[in-house]
Amino acid sequence: MGLFDRFKKDNSKKEEPKEEKVIPDNLEIDEDQLILKEIATNSKDRYERAAAADQITDQYVALDMSKTIKDRAIRLIAINKVKDEKLLRDAAENSPFFDVRSFAWERLGENNKSIAEVVINTKKNPRVDEIFDKVTDEKTLAWIAIDAQDKKYRNNAIEKINDADILYDLVFKAKDSSIRRAAVLKDSFVSEDILQKVVIEDKDESVKKAAVGKIRNEDNLEKIALNEDNAKIRSIIFDKIQDPKILEDIALNSTKADVRLDIVKKLDDDKLLSQIALNDGDKIVRSEAVKKITDENVLLDVISNDNDRFVRQIAVNNLQNPKELIKIAIEDEDQFVRNHAIKNPSLTDESDFTYIAINSTHEEIASEALTHITDEKNFIEILKTAKIDSVRKATLDNITDLETLIRIVLANEDEEFSLKALNKIKVEKCLFKIYEQGISENISVRAVSLIKDQKLLTDIAHNAESWRVREAAVKKIVSKKVLRDISINDENEYVRNVAKKRKNL
């Protein structure tokens, strides 16, 4: 704030306390000083501006000019007019121009601060290097390490600082993460409380890693890990903690699921893993614990009680008891859990898959069971007793047993299914017997169409009551004489025409 701003109306009264202290309440400025200030500020002639500034004797006017005039030469002339220590300190602390601040610090005998102002606000160059090398005061070096525009000066300053208290202060003020990291890595930076605070509060991973790396107290590491968001930092911490009780406490008491998840991946305590698998409030944490559990009783407890299908699936994958897997595959309400049970590699016995195919009321499970069966006897058993009709019918492709096929046809519970079974019968005497049973016209037609014996076909063509059956027989007869007879004498015109066409072939 400029000196003369204090005379402006401002109901908010936000003047800085320091400026209020150095400016008297009853301050009066001579008119000639105000005129000289106006010339020094606004004249277009630089020599005239300089001459006016050089004639100013009022230190308050000079202070104000040093804080408000943009022309470097004029403001340096102005600050050179200031002799009062309080006014110089005000300029050093409050002028927006670093050259004024530097000059004021020098006049106050604060050479380190004077140099720091130059170093902080100047790009690295040999002239500045020379004066920087003269700085030995570590508080001043900390200032440079925090605020220097040029990164090289920040780095050079932190290298020269060893005072622990200064480093502790600097690590929370520096915006440059590399400076904060360098401070932490200093040999004198040893306070575990400060290191812990750095890990918790700093947002930069490299700084956090440096701090964690220096912490030895496992209780401090636990305090950090309980709420640490960064997974890499958590991993480093967990690797450093050797006390199993501390790891257990984190696993059970951290309010962050990500923390509990990471630590579960490092645990090998079966009892603790079981406790987490059964009780943790986060399904992902529970699932990670379940992956590492082999105790069948715990796994069964999870399968019976967990409300998340993904967790239950993982538990099913770890089961090795075929009886339990069979029970789950047949009875579990969740389709995906059932699928994991039947696909568990511990299920290998064909008799187990046969049992599942027979007893399951879920088509996808019974069908999956069929893919693990090769023995025809098992397919026949499934055909006879499976609860699902489509599963029974699916066995037909794997059945060649003549007796079974004939039984299917004779039972004729589903004509389409019976016809498929009939297609697999090759014994002509059996086909003829099926025809004679008169099960249905369609079955009789199909049976006759599969017969090749000309004597049997001739007998059927002459004696069958159904014209469709006679037609089926005629289509297989090769004797011209028989065909000629049928083309003349069959009572059905369509059958006669079929016989006539075959005779003329």
Side-chain angles (χ1 to χ4, degrees):
M1 182 176 74
L3 169 64
F4 300 101
D5 290 340
R6 71 190 298 274
F7 297 109
K8 297 178 181 178
K9 290 184 179 181
D10 184 359
N11 295 328
S12 63
K13 297 182 180 180
K14 293 182 180 178
E15 292 88 348
E16 291 292 334
K18 288 184 178 179
E19 285 196 291
E20 290 180 9
K21 291 178 181 179
V22 298
I23 301 174
D25 291 334
N26 57 351
L27 179 66
E28 293 183 4
I29 306 296
D30 292 341
E31 183 66 25
D32 67 317
Q33 294 294 298
L34 296 177
I35 293 172
L36 288 170
K37 175 182 182 293
E38 175 67 20
I39 296 170
T41 303
N42 297 314
S43 175
K44 294 182 180 180
D45 188 318
R46 61 179 302 188
Y47 296 106
E48 191 174 76
R49 292 199 305 274
D54 193 48
Q55 295 179 56
I56 289 175
T57 58
D58 190 297
Q59 293 190 69
Y60 293 104
V61 174
L63 173 63
D64 183 71
M65 291 171 63
S66 74
K67 295 164 66 175
T68 58
I69 293 179
K70 294 181 180 180
D71 187 318
R72 181 174 182 273
I74 301 302
R75 62 176 179 261
L76 290 179
I77 292 173
I79 192 61
N80 193 44
K81 298 289 183 175
V82 178
K83 311 296 183 184
D84 183 87
E85 184 177 334
K86 288 184 179 180
L87 299 187
L88 282 171
R89 187 165 296 279
D90 180 75
E93 293 175 349
N94 299 308
S95 174
F97 306 105
F98 82 87
D99 47 10
V100 172
R101 298 195 300 270
S102 177
F103 187 86
W105 285 124
E106 183 181 356
R107 294 281 300 280
L108 289 166
E110 301 264 8
N111 290 333
N112 279 315
K113 291 183 178 180
S114 176
I115 293 171
E117 287 285 4
V118 176
V119 174
I120 288 170
N121 295 283
T122 309
K123 288 293 183 181
K124 196 173 189 307
N125 64 72
R127 183 182 65 81
V128 179
D129 289 348
E130 185 177 347
I131 62 172
F132 170 75
D133 290 339
K134 297 177 181 179
V135 179
T136 58
D137 178 66
E138 294 200 7
K139 288 185 178 180
T140 304
L141 288 167
W143 181 17
I144 295 171
I146 294 169
D147 290 336
Q149 294 180 9
D150 194 305
K151 187 181 182 75
K152 293 177 182 177
Y153 285 132
R154 296 199 296 273
N155 290 336
N156 291 344
I158 193 67
E159 287 178 6
K160 297 169 72 172
I161 301 172
N162 292 299
D163 186 287
D165 289 332
I166 291 174
L167 291 170
Y168 298 155
D169 184 61
L170 178 153
V171 79
F172 295 107
K173 292 181 177 179
K175 294 181 180 179
D176 185 339
S177 61
S178 67
I179 296 301
R180 301 198 302 275
R181 179 176 179 276
V184 169
L185 292 175
K186 283 283 185 173
D187 291 340
S188 54
F189 202 115
V190 294
S191 170
E192 294 237 339
D193 289 340
I194 301 296
L195 288 166
Q196 178 184 328
K197 184 176 171 65
V198 170
V199 181
I200 292 172
E201 296 184 4
D202 206 287
K203 303 301 181 184
D204 185 85
E205 186 176 288
S206 66
V207 178
K208 294 166 80 75
K209 282 183 177 180
V212 166
K214 296 184 74 172
I215 296 175
R216 299 290 178 263
N217 187 301
E218 294 194 1
D219 289 331
N220 289 337
L221 291 171
E222 178 186 6
K223 291 175 185 176
I224 298 168
L226 282 169
N227 295 291
E228 177 57 49
D229 289 324
N230 188 302
K232 292 181 180 178
I233 301 302
R234 293 197 299 265
S235 180
I236 294 171
I237 291 173
F238 296 151
D239 286 340
K240 288 171 70 72
I241 295 176
Q242 302 300 315
D243 187 338
K245 290 184 178 179
I246 291 179
L247 294 174
E248 178 179 347
D249 186 59
I250 296 171
L252 296 178
N253 297 315
S254 174
T255 58
K256 288 183 174 289
D258 286 347
V259 174
R260 303 196 304 275
L261 177 63
D262 280 354
I263 203 164
V264 163
K265 294 176 181 179
K266 294 180 177 291
L267 294 177
D268 56 11
D269 184 317
D270 292 339
K271 184 177 179 181
L272 178 56
L273 287 168
S274 297
Q275 187 176 352
I276 294 168
L278 293 170
N279 299 311
D280 197 277
D282 186 271
K283 63 183 180 181
I284 304 300
V285 177
R286 295 198 305 276
S287 67
E288 194 63 34
V290 171
K291 288 178 184 178
K292 305 176 80 170
I293 293 173
T294 56
D295 187 307
E296 297 270 310
N297 291 327
V298 176
L299 293 172
L300 290 172
D301 197 354
V302 171
I303 294 166
S304 299
N305 297 301
D306 204 285
N307 59 10
D308 185 81
R309 60 160 49 168
F310 182 66
V311 177
R312 298 176 64 232
Q313 288 172 17
I314 295 173
V316 168
N317 289 340
N318 284 0
L319 277 180
Q320 296 183 346
N321 187 328
K323 290 183 179 179
E324 296 295 346
L325 290 169
I326 292 170
K327 182 179 179 182
I328 294 167
I330 293 175
E331 298 179 3
D332 201 276
E333 296 179 357
D334 191 292
Q335 174 184 342
F336 295 100
V337 174
R338 296 194 301 268
N339 286 338
H340 278 258
I342 197 167
K343 292 179 181 179
N344 187 304
S346 294
L347 268 183
T348 57
D349 195 313
E350 189 167 322
S351 63
D352 291 338
F353 288 110
T354 302
Y355 181 85
I356 293 172
I358 291 171
N359 292 283
S360 176
T361 57
H362 304 284
E363 186 171 1
E364 79 284 352
I365 294 299
S367 298
E368 175 64 27
L370 286 180
T371 65
H372 297 273
I373 297 171
T374 57
D375 192 319
E376 185 174 4
K377 291 181 180 179
N378 290 328
F379 281 115
I380 293 172
E381 182 65 22
I382 295 167
L383 171 68
K384 292 178 180 178
T385 58
K387 292 181 178 181
I388 302 174
D389 184 59
S390 61
V391 174
R392 294 199 304 273
K393 292 176 180 178
T395 62
L396 187 57
D397 290 340
N398 299 282
I399 295 176
T400 59
D401 180 69
L402 181 60
E403 182 181 345
T404 301
L405 293 171
I406 292 173
R407 186 180 296 113
I408 294 171
V409 178
L410 295 178
N412 195 30
E413 295 176 356
D414 181 320
E415 188 172 74
E416 183 179 353
F417 185 54
S418 296
L419 291 171
K420 288 181 178 179
L422 182 56
N423 286 338
K424 301 189 73 173
I425 298 174
K426 307 301 180 185
V427 179
E428 297 201 1
K429 288 183 179 181
C430 294
L431 292 169
F432 186 74
K433 290 291 184 182
I434 291 171
Y435 149 70
E436 286 186 318
Q437 293 297 314
I439 301 166
S440 75
E441 186 177 51
N442 286 335
I443 288 177
S444 295
V445 169
R446 182 67 58 82
V448 170
S449 70
L450 295 171
I451 296 173
K452 296 179 181 179
D453 187 294
Q454 293 296 302
K455 184 177 180 181
L456 293 175
L457 290 169
T458 300
D459 181 62
I460 294 168
H462 283 124
N463 299 309
E465 293 183 4
S466 168
W467 70 266
R468 289 184 60 217
V469 174
R470 298 198 304 277
E471 176 203 7
V474 168
K475 287 180 177 180
K476 302 297 292 288
I477 292 173
V478 296
S479 170
K480 301 291 186 180
K481 180 179 179 181
V482 173
L483 290 170
R484 183 167 49 255
D485 180 54
I486 294 171
S487 68
I488 296 170
N489 297 312
D490 195 277
E491 64 182 27
N492 185 279
E493 181 180 1
Y494 184 75
V495 175
R496 293 197 302 272
N497 287 335
V498 172
K500 188 181 295 182
K501 287 180 181 179
R502 285 189 56 75
K503 180 191 69 169
N504 295 329
L505 288 176

